[in-house]
Structure formats: structure tokens, C-alpha cells
Amino acid sequence: MKERIAHLIKEAVESLFGVKESRFRVEVPREKGWGDLSTNVAFILSKSLKKSPKEVGDVLAEYLSDAGLFSDVRVEKGFINMDIKREVWIKEFASLIREGADRKFQKNIGKGEKVQVEFVSANPTGPLHLGHGRGAVVGDVLCNVLEFFGYAITREYYVNDAGNQVYLLGKSIYARYMELMGKSYPFPEEGYRGEYIRDIAEDIVREKGDMLLSLSEEEAVDFCVEYGLSAMLKRIKEDLEDLDVHFDVWFSERSLYDRGLVDEVIRILKEKDLIYEKEGALWFKSSLFGDDKDRVIRKSDGNYTYFASDIAYHYEKFSRGFKKVINLWGADHHGYERRLKAALKALDIPEDWLEVYFVQMVKLFREGKEIKMSKRSGEFVTLRELTEEIGKDAVRFMFLMKRSDTPLSIDVDVVKEKSSENPVFYVQYAHARMCGISREMKNRYGIDNLPEDFARYLNLLSLEEEMDLIKKAVMFGDELTEIVYKKEPHVITYFLYDMASLFHSYYNSHRIVGDDINISMARYTLTKGLKEIFAFALNFMGVEAPESM
RNA sequence: GGGCCCGUAGCUCAGCUGGAUAGAGCAGGGGAUUUCUAAUCCCCAGGUCGGGGGUUCGAGUCCCUCCGGGCCCGCCA
């Protein structure tokens, strides 16, 4: 709807003033009296046209009045406030019911463009924690929306299975193994002390017995590296699947080395004279491309840095033909963005090809107190624990409660509670109530479905609250579309919450299925449409829309 | 010392590329139940948008500066 009106305004501006203008906004104004929609276009034009906003607005308003779409167009304090005809809203809502929300809101924005979204990508050296889970859900929902709008999405997880950390994982497991076998072996200083390491070591004992004792230390640690990696990955996959998050590609960092891609990018950068040697290490001149300083890509001990393989990885992504790549990173990586972008620039990859978004950490509260996580002691709240405690729906919903780049707090007690304090239940309950109305309609009037001519009933709706619900439902398409550009899937949660609030209020003050069959039919039809929207929106979030609770 | 993010009601946060009289939930106070599930609703109270300066017709939003908080800044990943 917004888009339709923005288009209309553009046309009006062009035919009235002969200029193209697209910087203006069409928005739902804060105050009800300011129209269904409002635009600031007159302010923007007043500068270039050297006329007052009022003058510009008056001319535009008159033009727009003739479009047949509005019941009223007026200029107030320079804003053009527009009321859309009731029958237009009703017609839109009716077609939403008839076609279904997915047909109604579908737009082929992506046109099949290949886009890769890389998210989670947690190191396979420990269980997923809450921040990873948040990234998983945000990424997944973002992908759902992009797919809906016609992008060919690849969901990808980058597995850091190379480098020192996996060696440490292997060593930690080996140390626990030796411990279990009654041998003394020092636990590595920087090793992973979590309970899961011991679990893996126990699995090895169960499967292989004392087999490792007959190997050299090096061979045994190698074995533990491989065994540990696959065990960790298996757990990570399970944790994600329990949240209904699935990846198309699990990309191995190691494979970049095996395929010679790391050497290849370094060779390319060398040819461009962007690599130099200093103190036995190899440096990339990232400072030439906006980074604060140059960065090491091969250490003096001959090992490559993580940065080196990451350049190769993104180079590889580019060669796979993705038109755009979206990375969701933990907030502790924000300093890294500039470095990577510098490298991509050096490789002549367009600047806007890579978009990076950050996911902030999640804090857990219980009985009003924060549950502190400590990686050092190996004790922290894992994603698995939270999922087991509050369930998939609540986890997904809560992770979508805020913009992903702001820290999130979750109070476990509240989420487990079945009351209005719990937003998950609040929203799901609204849907369940809508289903309850369908049941009542059947019990009382034997009506099981909408008749062919259901639209005429919508005309009988006379309450302001009913129109508010209809308007908001129709405009959900606009909010969803914005996610494509702004990458902020939490707006779905806000929409559902607002919608639920409007509905609960309506439900409380008006009988929906009552003595008057016509009014009952009208309100039932309204509810049907709302239910459609709720199921549609919840589906994007990957949260159940329960029939009853 | 450098970089990034944040500071909005007691708490957790919305506030859309600057727009009209700053919003919601929770917590606090008061009310609604012969129900289509009260897992709900209604009302009240609560603010120098961290301070100061600037740009602008207009600033919570942009710029500068200061204060406060978080994260990053290794030849770790």
C-alpha cells in the first residue's frame, strides 16, 4: 500500500513539477488524526522549487484527490495527510483472504539473484552458546524473507576446522583421554576445559579402548583432532536442527588450503604488489584500502593467519557467482569488517557485494539475576540448555524480540510463564483465540468456511477497531518488504505483538459470534483474515501458530 | 592510544534514509469474568531523550566536544 502511494506521489510530482523525486517518505503517522498515511514530500520539494511546503502540498493534494484512492487528502503543517477510502481497504483485505497472504504479498524483488547468507559459523571447539543461537535464528528468518521475495538463497556455515584452535581441541581431548586411562599428561594451558571435552574422550575410550596408547603422541592428537571435530560438528548440527535451522552448505576452512586457494589469493595480491615481508612474516598492505594498519597473513612460523583463509574464503564465494553475500557476525568481530573489506577491495570485488551485520550478545536472567557465563571454567549456559528449558518456539521468538545489533536480555522465568508478560504466549494466544472463533461459528451456526461472497460481509463492519485491524493487516506487506533492504527481521515480532494487542482489545470489548448472524459473519470474516496473517507471519519466524492453547 | 557500538520512564527496549504533541511492555496503583479459553482487557502514574555546543524551516535521529557503559585492537581464531 505504501509503495502504491509512493508511486502515485512520484507520478504526481513528475507531472506537476517536471522533476523526479524519490527521497520522500510515506509513513503511518503517529497520531490517528493525521491520516492513514502521511508524506513529507512537500518539505523536500520546497527547497528545490523555492516554494513553501504549504504551496507545494496544496497543489499535490489536489492532484492526489483525483486519484480515486483517497477519501480525504489534506495539507497540515506541511505534511500531506491522506485517508484512504474505506472500500479500498476492504477490497485489499478481501483479496488478502481470497488469495492468501503469500500470494498477496509476494513480489519478485530478487528475480532469482544468487545471494549467500553466512551465519553462526561458530568454532567447532565448543557447544553453541546463546549468541550463536540468536545469530542462527536471525539469519534463518532473514533467509526466509529473502527467499519469499525471490532471491536464490544459500545458507552457509563456515567451519573453522584449520589452525591452532582445532589442534588445541585435539590436545584437550587427548589430555582427558590420558586421564581416563590413568596416565599423567599435562592439560594444555589454553585448552578447552568444558565438560563436553571429557564426554568426547569417554566416547573414544568406549569405541577405541586403549588403542591411542599404542600411537605416538602426534598421531594420537591428530586422531583426537579429527574425532573431536566430527563430534563437535555433530552436536552443533543437532542443536541447530532442534531450533529448525538448517544449512545448505557446511564450508570447510581446510578445504581452502587443500584446493590451493589461500596460496592463490596471496599470489594475486603479490602480483598487485600488496604483499611484503617483514620480520619473517608476510604482510598485506590493508592500510592502503582503509584499514588502520597492515595485517599479517602468514606468521613467521610459516602458518597462515585466520585472515589469510578468510580472504580466500570470500574470494571463493565471489567466484561461486553470488551477486551478494551477507555475513552475520558476533559483535566481537566488528573490528574485523574493515580489514576484510580492504582485502576484497584489493581483489577488485565491488564494495557493496559484502554486507556485514552484527549480532549482539544475549544475557539470561533468572529470578531477576543475571546468569553469568564463564568460558574459562567451562560453565556457561548453552543454546541446548535454553532450548530444552523453554522450547523451540519461545527461543526463536525471544531471539527476534530486538534489533539484532542491540544486546538482548531474556528472563527465563517470564518466558516459561503462561501470562501476558510472556510475549510468545501473548501472540500465540491471539491466534488460538481466532481459531476459537471459527469453532464457535461452527457450533452456533454450523458455518465451517467462508461463503463465496464473503466480501460483502466485510462491508457490514462498522467499528473503528475493525478498520484499524484491517489497515494494519493490509500494510504488513510493506513491513515485510522493508526487511529485504534493512535486514531487520525483528519487525515481524513487533508487528505481531501490536496486532495481537489490537485483537485482544477488540475481542474483549465486542462479542464476535453473537445473536445477529450478519454481524457475526462479518466479524468472523475479519477474524479469518487476521488468522491468515498471523499464521503467515509466524511461519516466517518459524514459530507455531497453535489452534488452541 | 586507536576503532566500533551504546546511553530514551524505576527496569527492558521501540522510535523507520531528520519531520508534527517522544512510544510500548514489565514493575507500581485502581478496576472488568453468567466468555467466542481472563494465558485477556480497561484506567492511572511515570521523561531536562547522558551534559554542552553546532548544522537545519525542523534534531532523540546528523556534526563536534565532554561524561558514562560495553566490545575489539596479538605474527589468536
Side-chain angles (χ1 to χ4, degrees):
Chain A
M1 183 62 82
K2 269 188 197 172
E3 214 165 300
R4 186 166 157 193
I5 286 167
H7 189 73
L8 206 60
I9 293 170
K10 251 181 235 177
E11 276 180 4
V13 169
E14 214 173 327
S15 85
L16 287 170
F17 308 110
V19 292
K20 283 188 196 271
E21 181 56 76
S22 55
R23 285 171 301 168
F24 64 89
R25 277 165 45 179
V26 177
E27 59 189 356
V28 179
R30 186 162 38 82
E31 297 292 323
K32 272 203 154 172
W34 299 344
D36 290 334
L37 287 166
S38 172
T39 178
N40 63 344
V41 69
F43 287 104
I44 291 171
L45 286 169
S46 74
K47 265 178 209 148
S48 54
L49 297 176
K50 303 219 163 40
K51 287 180 183 165
S52 74
K54 172 101 173 89
E55 280 176 275
V56 179
D58 282 339
V59 180
L60 270 168
E62 206 187 319
Y63 185 99
L64 291 172
S65 303
D66 296 333
L69 192 59
F70 305 105
S71 56
D72 184 41
V73 183
R74 57 196 181 275
V75 181
E76 285 165 322
K77 295 184 178 171
F79 291 88
I80 302 177
N81 295 338
M82 299 159 281
D83 284 321
I84 291 162
K85 280 182 182 163
R86 178 190 154 87
E87 60 253 44
V88 174
W89 287 120
I90 300 253
K91 207 178 136 209
E92 286 291 307
F93 191 69
S95 75
L96 175 62
I97 296 175
R98 193 172 296 113
E99 297 170 33
D102 41 350
R103 291 256 299 280
K104 177 73 183 165
F105 293 140
Q106 218 286 324
K107 267 182 294 180
N108 193 356
I109 302 171
K111 303 194 174 70
E113 205 173 276
K114 278 179 73 179
V115 173
Q116 188 230 34
V117 183
E118 184 215 318
F119 55 114
V120 188
S121 297
N123 286 341
T125 52
L128 295 180
H129 64 236
L130 300 181
H132 297 135
R134 188 180 186 191
V137 172
V138 170
D140 186 46
V141 176
L142 183 60
C143 288
N144 288 344
V145 174
L146 291 172
E147 263 167 351
F148 179 73
F149 286 112
Y151 290 90
I153 297 294
T154 300
R155 291 165 158 87
E156 189 154 321
Y157 188 118
Y158 182 49
V159 183
N160 296 121
D161 54 3
N164 194 38
Q165 45 164 1
V166 284
Y167 176 72
L168 264 177
L169 172 73
K171 250 193 141 166
S172 306
I173 294 170
Y174 182 61
R176 293 294 184 222
Y177 174 86
M178 293 301 269
E179 197 181 299
L180 289 166
M181 299 310 286
K183 307 273 179 195
S184 80
Y185 186 86
F187 196 83
E189 181 120 351
E190 303 280 317
Y192 301 100
R193 292 173 187 278
E195 199 53 41
Y196 60 96
I197 295 289
R198 196 170 268 120
D199 294 344
I200 293 172
E202 279 170 8
D203 285 345
I204 295 178
V205 173
R206 207 167 300 130
E207 263 180 55
K208 303 285 175 186
D210 61 359
M211 192 268 279
L212 269 63
L213 297 178
S214 62
L215 301 176
S216 71
E217 183 182 329
E218 200 189 323
E219 287 170 328
V221 171
D222 278 352
F223 176 88
C224 289
V225 166
E226 297 311 313
Y227 194 96
L229 270 179
S230 75
M232 284 318 310
L233 274 175
K234 187 163 168 271
R235 284 166 189 235
I236 287 171
K237 282 184 193 181
E238 282 168 4
D239 289 359
L240 291 170
E241 269 158 28
D242 287 347
L243 272 185
D244 274 348
V245 176
H246 308 279
F247 286 87
D248 303 306
V249 176
W250 294 76
F251 194 96
S252 152
E253 181 186 4
R254 232 185 247 177
S255 71
L256 294 165
Y257 290 100
D258 296 344
R259 291 161 59 191
L261 286 168
V262 178
D263 290 329
E264 190 181 329
V265 285
I266 291 176
R267 188 181 50 77
I268 295 171
L269 293 172
K270 257 184 191 156
E271 275 170 16
K272 291 172 181 279
D273 197 25
L274 296 171
I275 300 277
Y276 62 93
E277 216 172 317
K278 193 178 89 183
E279 293 159 12
L282 225 49
W283 297 70
F284 164 58
K285 294 182 185 170
S286 49
S287 59
L288 290 179
F289 301 92
D291 200 2
D292 325 334
K293 52 184 172 187
D294 294 345
R295 306 288 175 174
V296 171
I297 54 175
R298 198 185 65 206
K299 298 178 270 180
S300 54
D301 67 4
N303 287 317
Y304 290 105
T305 60
Y306 176 82
F307 183 41
S309 52
D310 227 13
I311 299 172
Y313 179 40
H314 285 83
Y315 178 75
E316 195 276 346
K317 287 186 189 185
F318 190 70
S319 66
R320 261 190 277 168
F322 292 115
K323 288 279 175 291
K324 191 175 276 289
V325 159
I326 296 168
N327 285 358
L328 247 56
W329 287 348
D332 53 341
H333 282 68
H334 49 68
Y336 195 73
E337 180 182 4
R338 193 177 288 192
R339 199 185 305 182
L340 182 60
K341 284 198 161 162
L344 297 183
K345 212 185 280 179
L347 290 168
D348 300 315
I349 294 173
E351 204 153 345
D352 59 354
W353 176 76
L354 171 68
E355 282 178 27
V356 181
Y357 297 94
F358 295 97
V359 180
Q360 276 282 1
M361 54 186 309
V362 179
K363 288 182 191 170
L364 266 197
F365 288 78
R366 201 186 291 277
E367 285 158 17
K369 275 191 193 154
E370 185 180 348
I371 306 169
K372 290 278 184 191
M373 291 162 237
S374 149
K375 245 190 173 168
R376 206 158 50 96
S377 69
E379 279 175 38
F380 40 77
V381 182
T382 60
L383 178 60
R384 163 153 305 276
E385 286 169 319
L386 185 69
T387 311
E388 278 167 3
E389 183 162 358
I390 69 175
K392 180 205 82 176
D393 281 355
V395 171
R396 290 191 64 115
F397 195 99
M398 293 312 291
F399 281 160
L400 290 164
M401 280 290 288
K402 306 285 177 214
R403 235 185 34 228
S404 65
D405 63 353
T406 66
L408 176 69
S409 312
I410 296 178
D411 189 319
V412 182
D413 303 313
V414 168
V415 178
K416 283 164 79 178
E417 208 167 296
K418 299 185 173 184
S419 76
S420 61
E421 290 164 46
N422 181 349
V424 189
F425 280 87
Y426 187 80
V427 167
Q428 288 186 320
Y429 183 46
H431 182 266
R433 273 184 154 174
M434 292 168 193
C435 295
I437 287 161
S438 293
R439 287 191 289 272
E440 180 68 9
M441 209 54 194
K442 191 173 180 194
N443 289 340
R444 186 142 172 181
Y445 293 112
I447 288 168
D448 214 358
N449 235 317
L450 290 177
E452 274 301 307
D453 61 343
F454 70 87
R456 75 185 172 92
Y457 288 107
L458 291 173
N459 290 315
L460 302 175
L461 295 171
S462 58
L463 298 166
E464 197 183 346
E465 295 131 283
E466 292 164 339
M467 283 313 292
D468 288 346
L469 280 161
I470 285 175
K471 289 172 187 174
K472 200 160 168 59
V474 167
M475 286 194 286
F476 180 53
D478 296 318
E479 301 203 35
L480 208 54
T481 310
E482 274 189 24
I483 299 175
V484 173
Y485 305 106
K486 297 178 66 182
K487 318 286 193 292
E488 290 179 348
H490 75 286
V491 300
I492 301 175
T493 320
Y494 274 89
F495 168 79
L496 278 170
Y497 195 87
D498 286 351
M499 208 62 187
S501 171
L502 284 176
F503 179 75
H504 284 311
S505 175
Y506 172 59
Y507 182 96
N508 255 275
S509 46
H510 303 285
R511 181 81 203 173
I512 295 179
V513 180
D515 295 335
D516 184 321
I517 174 77
N518 284 318
I519 290 177
S520 300
M521 273 307 287
R523 293 178 175 173
Y524 167 63
T525 307
L526 169 67
T527 308
K528 273 279 202 183
L530 298 178
K531 196 169 89 176
E532 168 74 20
I533 285 277
F534 264 66
F536 176 70
L538 284 167
N539 185 46
F540 272 106
M541 300 174 73
V543 175
E544 298 294 319
E547 297 271 318
S548 64
M549 293 177 74

